[in-house]
Amino acid sequence: AQSVTQPDIHITVSEGASLELRCNYSYGATPYLFWYVQSPGQGLQLLLKYFSGDTLVQGIKGFEAEFKRSQSSFNLRKPSVHWSDAAEYFCAAGSSNTGKLIFGQGTTLQVKP
Amino acid sequence: EPEVTQTPSHQVTQMGQEVILRCVPISNHLYFYWYRQILGQKVEFLVSFYNNEISEKSEIFDDQFSVERPDGSNFTLKIRSTKLEDSAMYFCASRIGQASSPQHFGDGTRLSIL
């Protein structure tokens, strides 16, 4: 069955520290991969996406993610976290026909001053 | 920048009542979706809609649920007889074309069933 796993439910980092959020997928073929961010009371905002080609993709707000086929992973990274990055982060895999997204359970990021 | 808008932001309904959640997708988008997020759980796919018909639905989307695009701008989700377990945040999303184009999400409607 298709699934997306985010192993870390909650992560706390200090402001200015680097960040890596993990995402693993299980899919029949290489899916389209996305990272979304959700601030409290708001919708899901797209951070970045991977379809094909260069396995390191750049997104908004200084985020990047690396697709590793051998590990079925698509981890999100940021070199220096800002307090405003505190939010919930969702990894998602997309179907190539209907575009239906399968989401991971999300990782809540807390940023310490 | 164009965005997906959802109304109302919060809906409180008695169990057994019908509820309609409304969405206005981005105007040139062709594919439409509903997802839900029960408090503390992951975002779950409900249904996808294209060319005026359902293209895929999940097992959650049973006969109590229906979707409609009544005119050129609105996309609605109807729950015919609400249950307590329908309490969740419901998100509408749209995308412009092929599956590689990202989905744009609205801010959601929080549905509370009493």
Side-chain angles (χ1 to χ4, degrees):
Chain A
Q2 299 161 348
S3 66
V4 175
T5 302
Q6 293 177 247
D8 305 304
I9 295 173
H10 192 274
I11 281 185
T12 300
V13 299
S14 298
E15 190 167 16
S18 63
L19 170 71
E20 182 169 28
L21 302 183
R22 296 182 290 164
C23 173
N24 293 95
Y25 66 89
S26 173
Y27 222 82
T30 299
Y32 303 127
L33 296 164
F34 306 86
W35 274 98
Y36 284 87
V37 60
Q38 183 183 31
S39 297
Q42 302 210 346
L44 298 159
Q45 181 185 22
L46 179 71
L47 285 176
L48 45 78
K49 56 188 185 286
Y50 172 79
F51 304 136
S52 63
D54 193 349
T55 57
L56 185 64
V57 294
Q58 302 297 320
I60 63 171
K61 304 184 181 186
F63 285 93
E64 65 178 28
E66 186 171 13
F67 169 67
K68 292 185 178 179
R69 185 189 306 274
S70 61
Q71 298 176 19
S72 297
S73 69
F74 187 57
N75 293 349
L76 181 72
R77 300 195 294 247
K78 187 170 184 177
S80 177
V81 167
H82 187 262
W83 64 266
S84 60
D85 293 325
E88 186 146 23
Y89 291 80
F90 292 94
C91 181
S95 158
S96 60
N97 44 16
T98 65
K100 154 189 152 182
L101 292 178
I102 297 170
F103 284 86
Q105 45 270 72
T107 297
T108 301
L109 173 64
Q110 184 178 0
V111 180
K112 291 191 302 187
Chain B
E1 184 178 325
E3 56 183 31
V4 176
T5 57
Q6 290 185 243
T7 55
S9 57
H10 191 192
Q11 174 83 45
V12 181
T13 301
Q14 292 288 332
M15 186 172 60
Q17 295 296 305
E18 175 184 286
V19 66
I20 297 175
L21 309 183
R22 292 184 165 79
C23 170
V24 179
I26 296 173
S27 62
N28 61 342
H29 283 193
L30 302 176
Y31 296 79
F32 313 109
Y33 303 84
W34 284 100
Y35 294 83
R36 80 172 185 191
Q37 185 182 29
I38 294 171
L39 189 63
Q41 298 186 23
K42 64 169 70 176
V43 178
E44 302 172 288
F45 167 79
L46 290 179
V47 66
S48 59
F49 191 86
Y50 169 71
N51 201 25
N52 282 320
E53 61 183 28
I54 291 173
S55 46
E56 187 174 358
K57 61 183 181 179
S58 72
E59 60 270 16
I60 302 168
F61 194 89
D62 60 21
D63 292 344
Q64 295 298 314
F65 291 85
S66 62
V67 289
E68 195 177 29
R69 189 155 163 82
D71 52 42
S73 59
N74 290 284
F75 180 51
T76 61
L77 174 70
K78 182 193 292 187
I79 309 175
R80 191 159 29 155
S81 178
T82 49
K83 307 184 191 66
L84 293 176
E85 54 264 37
D86 293 328
S87 295
M89 181 74 92
Y90 288 80
F91 291 105
C92 173
S94 68
R95 67 177 170 89
I96 189 166
Q98 68 272 25
S100 57
S101 57
Q103 292 179 31
H104 296 259
F105 284 78
D107 284 344
T109 292
R110 178 161 298 285
L111 177 62
S112 300
I113 307 300
L114 304 179

